[in-house]
């Protein structure tokens, strides 16, 4: 049985590039490529997948990767249509993500976890949904009411925590270890399938600890500041807060 390719986004979010060998090719209109190792994040948990380039080291030929996704245990890279013949099995490629976009997503994701940590600590509200783009995102919480002064206080508290320069740590726990941690699952519905035996966690030291599969910065100071750009009701006890990075670059 072929082993799963190395997936570096989960272990080192700052790795931008890696050399890899093509293991499988599906030559559709938008070809699909599987590599023996990759830096691409395949998307999930509200975080979009990475984009980037593949460069064949033998002749300098390049292909644009417009997205990536999980297929079973593998990460599949979807090439932009119209790029000619795809790489072949056995080709050695330089795999490069769009780093500016990835870093913006890392900062945004950590900002959203900080928001979640503040809201849970100060108000005990669970998460009911979330999504992000580079530099902006939103989270839905189980609040019965939402008003301007409350949102202002949440924004101030989030920026205080970001300025506290808290380390952000990644760990992988067994399922039993993970579920022994109180409040590890902050979503209203537990989204972790029964069959998953290892749980990846993200800890903002001193503030927040959650099960999470996405990419994050190593310290909250890298986020900078956020501003709340809006809030709205999405139901009787479901309220949405939208944020953006003050300095998205």
């Amino acid at each position: 049985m072929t082993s799963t390719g190395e997936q570096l986004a989960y272990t080192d979010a700052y790795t931008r590039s890696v050399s890899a060998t093509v293991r499988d090719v599906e030559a559709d209109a938008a070809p699909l490529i599987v590599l023996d190792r990759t830096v691409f994040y395949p998307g999930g948990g509200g975080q979009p997948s990475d984009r980037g380039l593949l460069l064949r080291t033998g002749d300098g030929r390049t292909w644009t990767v417009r997205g990536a996704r999980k297929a079973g245990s593998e990460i599949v890279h979807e090439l932009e249509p119209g790029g000619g013949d795809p790489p072949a099995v056995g080709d050695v490629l330089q795999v490069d993500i769009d780093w500016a976009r990835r870093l913006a997503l890392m900062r945004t994701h950590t900002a959203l976890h900080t928001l979640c940590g503040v809201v849970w600590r100060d108000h005990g509200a669970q998460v009911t949904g979330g999504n992000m783009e580079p530099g902006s995102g939103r989270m839905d919480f189980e609040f019965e009411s939402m008003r301007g002064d409350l949102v202002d206080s949440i924004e101030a508290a989030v920026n205080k925590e970001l300025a506290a320069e808290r380390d952000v740590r990644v760990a992988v726990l067994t399922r039993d270890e993970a579920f022994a941690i109180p409040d590890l699952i902050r979503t209203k519905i537990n989204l972790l399938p029964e069959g998953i035996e290892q749980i990846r966690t993200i800890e903002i030291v001193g503030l927040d600890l959650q099960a999470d599969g996405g990419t994050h910065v190593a310290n909250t100071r890298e986020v900078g500041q956020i501003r709340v750009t809006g809030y709205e009701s999405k139901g009787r006890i479901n309220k949405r807060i939208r944020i953006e990075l003050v300095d998205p670059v």
Side-chain angles (χ1 to χ4, degrees):
M1 181 181 294
T2 302
S3 62
T4 301
E6 188 178 4
Q7 301 172 356
L8 296 168
Y10 297 114
T11 55
D12 183 1
Y14 289 85
T15 303
R16 311 180 190 190
S17 179
V18 71
S19 178
T21 301
V22 179
R23 286 174 39 178
D24 194 18
V25 179
E26 187 174 321
D28 289 340
L32 304 176
I33 308 296
V34 176
L35 305 170
D36 68 340
R37 59 203 310 244
T38 186
V39 289
F40 275 74
Y41 177 68
Q47 180 177 336
S49 75
D50 286 319
R51 301 172 186 166
L53 290 172
L54 304 179
L55 182 148
R56 187 161 57 199
T57 55
D59 60 3
R61 173 81 182 278
T62 61
W63 294 267
T64 299
V65 181
R66 69 178 185 180
R69 57 181 169 81
K70 269 292 183 77
S73 61
E74 297 286 3
I75 293 177
V76 177
H77 306 75
E78 183 176 350
L79 304 188
E80 196 72 45
D85 292 338
V89 173
D91 281 353
V92 177
L93 306 177
Q94 190 70 24
V95 184
D96 297 301
I97 56 171
D98 179 340
W99 173 245
R101 183 174 183 276
R102 159 72 78 81
L103 183 58
L105 285 166
M106 289 163 60
R107 294 171 62 213
T108 303
H109 204 162
T110 301
L112 288 169
H113 273 233
T114 306
L115 170 64
C116 182
V118 165
V119 168
W120 178 256
R121 180 195 66 194
D122 297 347
H123 306 283
Q126 289 184 301
V127 175
T128 56
N131 202 9
M132 74 191 81
E133 295 295 334
S136 65
R138 55 91 172 166
M139 294 200 82
D140 299 345
F141 297 98
E142 195 177 50
F143 273 104
E144 288 196 5
S145 63
M146 184 71 67
R147 59 189 189 278
D149 59 337
L150 174 61
V151 172
D152 289 346
S153 70
I154 290 172
E155 179 186 81
V158 170
N159 281 324
K160 181 178 179 180
E161 295 301 334
L162 293 173
E165 300 190 356
R166 297 186 180 276
D167 286 336
V168 182
R169 297 176 181 169
V170 180
V172 178
L173 308 177
T174 67
R175 191 177 186 90
D176 288 344
E177 288 172 333
F179 282 93
I181 300 172
D183 306 318
L184 181 71
I185 309 301
R186 296 290 177 76
T187 51
K188 181 67 175 176
I189 300 172
N190 183 357
L191 301 177
L192 295 175
E194 287 294 332
I196 294 181
E197 293 303 323
Q198 290 191 317
I199 311 297
R200 183 174 182 267
T201 63
I202 299 295
E203 180 183 13
I204 301 176
V205 176
L207 176 67
D208 188 59
L209 175 61
Q210 293 186 55
D212 182 79
T215 60
H216 291 263
V217 293
N219 189 284
T220 58
R221 65 172 171 268
E222 297 175 64
V223 176
Q225 290 190 317
I226 61 100
R227 65 170 65 92
V228 173
T229 58
Y231 63 95
E232 60 201 87
S233 176
K234 305 301 290 185
R236 185 177 65 81
I237 56 170
N238 191 29
K239 303 300 183 287
R240 177 168 295 174
I241 298 177
R242 300 181 183 274
I243 68 166
E244 67 180 17
L245 304 180
V246 171
D247 178 10
V249 179

